[in-house]
Each structure stands twice: as structure tokens, then as C-alpha cells.
Amino acid sequence: MSTETAAPGPATASPGPGPATTGRSRRRTVKRVLGIGALALALAAGGGYLWLSSTATVHNTGNPDCMAVTPTDAPAGAHRQVCSTLADMTAAWGRGDADAYGAVFTEDATYTTYVGTHYQGRRDITEGHAALFDGFLKDTELADSYLGIRFYGPRTAIVTTRGDTYEGSPEKPDELSKTQTYTLVRQDDGPWRIAAFHNTRRQKVMERVSFLFDPDTRPRTEK
């Protein structure tokens, strides 16, 4: 009995990228090339860094009035209470009162500065700011411009802002150099307290370069 072996059929070609995918890829490449070209021209013309810095503006500057921001899913009265806690924090900073400043945080709060210093707990935050208020940050005030307030259930809120310290007149919202995230909680039936704070310095020139090289990295609110 003979065994017949079927001849192998033609190999099936893997499907290539569709027209839509190819088109998107081509557009991204063109945008990157244009971004690189614009950057090269600016730097070649001299004053490239200053040009990048002066054109690194933001559209979404937020609102300096916490109560003017429309929160998402806010429980009754919670919006005002959260804004009151943040106002207490700002006032304590302006007075250079480290104890009052630390009191708006939970006992186990975390606090990360824009230079990467990480404080753990209210005592750590209070002692660190007592030194700062007598040193680098003496006689400064806080500025905040609110980007968003979101509630997750009746006891948790996330607040994002643009912020900075200043002396004299407050900075304009589009000149605030940091982006900040506050996580606030309400424990039992007590006041709202800050459980975590994270502060990031906006590297505006690097951000501008990123948008030039790849415009798709630009947030929707900045397009």
C-alpha cells in the first residue's frame, strides 16, 4: 500500500497594514519631520532656546477660584468643604505657620516635592515646612489655578492645579511653573484632609520640543 503525500499549497501571505493605518503612519511621519525642521530652523537662527521658551504657552490655565470649577460627582456640600481645606492650606503657607499647614494633611499623608523630596506623615511635612518657612520659602505665598476637581464616592477627591510660590503680586495662571495633584479624603465625619500631594515642575522647553517632534503627544486641551 503506497502512501501519497499531498503537495504543499502556496503560502498564505500575512495581511499588510490597511490603508487607514498606513495613512496615519504617514501623517505622523510628516508631522515629526515638520517639527524637527521647525526646531532646527529656530536653533539655527539663533536664540533658539528663547524662542522655544516664549512659544511654550498653555491654553488650559485653569481657574484661580476653586468654587468656580465644576466638580464631577460631588456629594452634597463636599465641593465647598474641599475648597475650604485648600484655602486653609494656602492661608497657613502665607502666614508661615507650619503647624497649621501640617494640620490640613492626614496623619499618614505623603508629600512629594518637584525636586523629588518625599515626606511621609504629618510630622515630617510639618517639620520640613517649618524649616522652609524660615529659609528658602520665607515670606512667600501660594498661587493655585484649578484644572479639575473629581470625586470618587463620598470620601475621596482628586484636585489638579497649576501652582507656584510668589512674593508680592501673584503669578498669572499661564505663568505658574508647576502642575500639582492633591488627593483628599474624609475620614469618619471629620473635615476633608490631604492624604497625598505630588508636585511636578513643568519643563516648558522640553514640553515644547516634544510637541514639535510629535504633535500627537499634545493633550486635547492644548490642541
Side-chain angles (χ1 to χ4, degrees):
M1 182 176 63
S2 63
T3 303
E4 295 182 0
T5 304
T12 303
S14 301
T21 302
T22 303
R24 285 195 297 270
S25 177
R26 186 176 294 114
R27 286 194 295 272
R28 283 196 297 269
T29 300
V30 170
K31 288 178 180 178
R32 289 191 182 100
V33 170
L34 290 174
I36 294 170
L39 178 59
L41 287 172
L43 295 175
Y49 184 90
L50 293 176
W51 176 80
L52 288 168
S53 179
S54 65
T55 58
T57 57
V58 292
H59 302 306
N60 185 18
T61 57
N63 193 317
D65 183 357
C66 183
M67 286 302 298
V69 177
T70 302
T72 60
D73 302 320
H79 182 197
R80 184 172 297 279
Q81 292 163 2
V82 163
C83 288
S84 177
T85 294
L86 295 173
D88 289 344
M89 176 196 69
T90 300
W93 184 295
R95 298 193 305 272
D97 187 340
D99 290 329
Y101 186 79
V104 303
F105 293 85
T106 63
E107 286 285 353
D108 61 350
T110 57
Y111 191 110
T112 305
T113 73
Y114 75 89
V115 297
T117 303
H118 182 72
Y119 295 101
Q120 182 74 50
R122 178 184 290 161
R123 179 179 177 181
D124 209 15
I125 295 168
T126 301
E127 291 177 350
H129 281 80
L132 288 169
F133 292 157
D134 283 337
F136 296 117
L137 298 175
K138 187 177 179 63
D139 297 327
T140 63
E141 309 230 17
L142 282 183
D144 267 311
S145 189
Y146 295 85
L147 296 171
I149 302 173
R150 294 165 288 147
F151 286 85
Y152 296 91
R155 298 184 181 278
T156 305
I158 305 294
V159 179
T160 50
T161 72
R162 296 193 188 279
D164 219 330
T165 59
Y166 67 94
E167 295 181 64
S169 300
E171 299 288 334
K172 297 178 181 178
D174 61 347
E175 295 175 352
L176 300 178
S177 68
K178 304 176 186 73
T179 305
Q180 303 170 144
T181 302
Y182 300 86
T183 301
L184 294 98
V185 297
R186 190 180 187 197
Q187 299 171 318
D188 300 322
D189 291 324
W192 286 82
R193 291 288 178 256
I194 303 168
F197 171 74
H198 191 95
N199 193 8
T200 302
R201 179 179 287 277
R202 177 175 172 252
Q203 304 290 343
K204 64 180 184 178
V205 171
M206 291 302 299
E207 181 184 67
R208 181 75 171 117
V209 169
S210 174
F211 294 166
L212 285 170
F213 271 83
D214 193 345
D216 289 341
T217 62
R218 189 185 294 269
R220 285 181 296 170
T221 55
E222 296 300 322
K223 292 180 179 177

